C-alpha cells in the first residue's frame, strides 16, 4: 500500500498515520473558562496540554485514495515516557477491497524489544511459538527486517506531536460543537503545508519528522479536522493529504483515557520464539 503521508501506528504491528497540523490562523472564538480564544490560540493551548499527557489509548483507521479499497484498522494503548511502550491490535488490513489473509495480529513493545503475534509471520518463528521476539537494534543487521521503522510508525500517532504541527496552519477556524464518543467537543478545521508544520518543531524533532515525507513535499498540504474536549485534549483527528501528484490518504484517530495507567507486559516466555533464519530461507514449514 502506498502512502505519501503517514501519522501513526506501526508497520506489521499496527497501521499508519497522517500527522501534520497547524498556529497563526483565524476563526471564531472558543470559550475556555473566562477566556475567549481564537481557533489558532485554542490549538496552541491544546498542543501545550497534550504535551503533558504521557499515556493514552487510540483507535486508528487509514484509507487510501479513491474508494478506500486499501484500509487499515488498529487500536492500542501507549506510554510515551520515560520510554516508548505500547500494546496494539491490528484488526483489519485490506488491499484492493480484499482482506489480507493472516494480517490481523497483536504487537507489544517494551524495553526496546518488539513482540509480534501475526499469523502470516508464524512460519518464521522458531520452535512453533505463537509470538515472535525481535530486538529492534539487531533485526535489521541480521535479517534486513527494519523493526525500528515499525516502531517509528507507532510514534507518529503521538497526539502531542500532531497538535504541535497543527499550530502551523494559517487558516484554522472553529466549526462548532459536536459529541465524539459521548464527549462534548469543539471542532476545528484547517490546512497546513509540510513546510509550515515542520517549522513548529524544534530542531531534533524536525529532523525526525522530515523523514516521514518524500523529497519535494514542502509545499504540499494536509487538510485536518480536530475535535478537542473541554479539557483541551484531542478526542478525534481526521487528516487528508493533498499532494501534487494526486495521491492521498485519509487517517482517522480517536483518542481517549489520557493520563490513565496502562499495563504492558511481554507475553509468557514459553510462548515466545526468535526470528528463524531457516524460516526466512524457506526451511521452516508453516504450521497448520
Amino acid at each position: 500500500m502506498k502512502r505519501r503521508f503517514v501519522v501513526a501506528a506501526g508497520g506489521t504491528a499496527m497501521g499508519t498515520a497522517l500527522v501534520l497540523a497547524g498556529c497563526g490562523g483565524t476563526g471564531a472564538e472558543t470559550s475556555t473558562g473566562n477566556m475567549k480564544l481564537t481557533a489558532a490560540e485554542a490549538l496552541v493551548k491544546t498542543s501545550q496540554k497534550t504535551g503533558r499527557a504521557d499515556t493514552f489509548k487510540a483507535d486508528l483507521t487509514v484509507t487510501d485514495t479513491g474508494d478506500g479499497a486499501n484500509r487499515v484498522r488498529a487500536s492500542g494503548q501507549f506510554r510515551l515516557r520515560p520510554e516508548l511502550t505500547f500494546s496494539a491490535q491490528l484488526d483489519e488490513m485490506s488491499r484492493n477491497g480484499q482482506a489480507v489473509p493472516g494480517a490481523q495480529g497483536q504487537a507489544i513493545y517494551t524495553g526496546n524489544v518488539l513482540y509480534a503475534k501475526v499469523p502470516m509471520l508464524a512460519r518464521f518463528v522458531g520452535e512453533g511459538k505463537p509470538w515472535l521476539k525481535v530486538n529492534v537494534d539487531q533485526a535489521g543487521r541480521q535479517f534486513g527486517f527494519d523493526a525500528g521503522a515499525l516502531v517509528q510508525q507507532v510514534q507518529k500517532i503521538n497526539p502531542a506531536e500532531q497538535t504541535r504541527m497543527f499550530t502551523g496552519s494559517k487558516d484554522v477556524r472553529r466549526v462548532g460543537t459536536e459529541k465524539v464518543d459521548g464527549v462534548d467537543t469543539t471542532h476545528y478545521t484547517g490546512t497546513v503545508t509540510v513546510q509550515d508544520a515542520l517549522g513548529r518543531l524544534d530542531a531534533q524533532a524536525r529532523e525526525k519528522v522530515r523523514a516521514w515525507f518524500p523529497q519535494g513535499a514542502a509545499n504540499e498540504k494536509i487538510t485536518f479536522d480536530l475535535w478537542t474536549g473541554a479539557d483541551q485534549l484531542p478526542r478525534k483527528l481526521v487528516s487528508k493529504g493533498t499532494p501534487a501528484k494526486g495521491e492521498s490518504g485519509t487517517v482517522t484517530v480517536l483518542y481517549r483515557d489520557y493520563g490513565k495507567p496502562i499495563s504492558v507486559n511481554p507475553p509468557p516466555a514459553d510462548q515466545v520464539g526468535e526470528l528463524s533464519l531457516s524460516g526466512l530461507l524457506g526451511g521452516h514449514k508453516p504450521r497448520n
Side-chain angles (χ1 to χ4, degrees):
M1 248 187 282
K2 277 190 176 180
R3 290 189 191 85
R4 299 284 310 269
F5 295 92
V6 211
V7 299
T12 303
M14 281 303 83
T16 322
L18 241 171
V19 187
L20 288 186
C23 180
T26 57
E29 293 181 335
T30 296
S31 177
T32 304
N34 295 323
M35 298 185 296
K36 293 288 187 178
L37 303 179
T38 66
E41 291 168 340
L43 279 189
V44 172
K45 193 82 172 175
T46 292
S47 173
Q48 294 169 344
K49 185 73 178 289
T50 309
R52 296 192 288 270
D54 291 338
T55 62
F56 62 93
K57 295 180 181 178
D59 300 320
L60 170 75
T61 301
V62 182
T63 57
D64 273 356
T65 314
D67 57 7
N70 295 332
R71 177 183 172 95
V72 170
R73 287 194 308 108
S75 58
Q77 55 178 347
F78 306 85
R79 182 166 58 241
L80 302 176
R81 287 174 286 270
E83 60 182 11
L84 177 64
T85 303
F86 67 82
S87 64
Q89 176 83 32
L90 178 60
D91 300 308
E92 176 189 347
M93 179 182 288
S94 59
R95 293 177 180 168
N96 300 319
Q98 300 294 317
V100 178
Q104 294 81 6
Q106 296 173 257
I108 294 172
Y109 181 74
T110 181
N112 203 38
V113 176
L114 177 69
Y115 300 89
K117 185 179 182 182
V118 183
M120 65 166 46
L121 296 180
R123 61 184 178 181
F124 302 134
V125 184
E127 303 175 2
K129 302 296 179 65
W131 285 90
L132 165 66
K133 178 181 178 180
V134 181
N135 184 295
V136 173
D137 293 330
Q138 296 176 0
R141 294 193 298 269
Q142 293 179 338
F143 303 107
F145 174 62
D146 193 354
L150 304 188
V151 174
Q152 185 183 67
Q153 293 294 325
V154 176
Q155 292 172 322
K156 295 176 186 179
I157 205 170
N158 181 347
E161 207 128 275
Q162 295 179 29
T163 52
R164 187 158 55 246
M165 290 190 283
F166 280 153
T167 61
S169 175
K170 296 179 173 63
D171 61 5
V172 62
R173 62 184 176 86
R174 181 179 181 273
V175 177
T177 57
E178 302 170 23
K179 282 190 180 291
V180 175
D181 286 343
V183 176
D184 291 325
T185 68
T186 302
H187 179 186
Y188 302 94
T189 188
T191 63
V192 64
T193 65
V194 172
Q195 178 174 296
D196 287 340
L198 292 176
R200 296 294 169 174
L201 302 176
D202 60 42
Q204 183 177 2
R206 189 181 307 122
E207 285 308 304
K208 179 184 71 174
V209 174
R210 195 190 305 277
W212 300 352
F213 303 96
Q215 289 187 349
N219 294 320
E220 293 179 1
K221 284 189 175 182
I222 301 294
T223 299
F224 66 88
D225 286 88
L226 177 68
W227 289 258
T228 64
D231 55 6
Q232 308 266 276
L233 294 171
R235 298 294 168 176
K236 181 179 179 180
L237 168 65
V238 178
S239 303
K240 183 176 181 180
T242 55
K245 293 185 179 180
E247 298 177 3
S248 67
T250 299
V251 175
T252 301
V253 189
L254 296 172
Y255 293 104
R256 64 188 186 282
D257 292 348
Y258 287 99
K260 293 187 177 181
I262 67 169
S263 178
V264 177
N265 299 304
D270 63 357
Q271 297 294 304
V272 178
E274 299 286 344
L275 195 62
S276 166
L277 182 58
S278 62
L280 290 171
L281 296 176
H284 194 85
K285 301 295 184 183
R287 293 180 289 122
N288 293 327

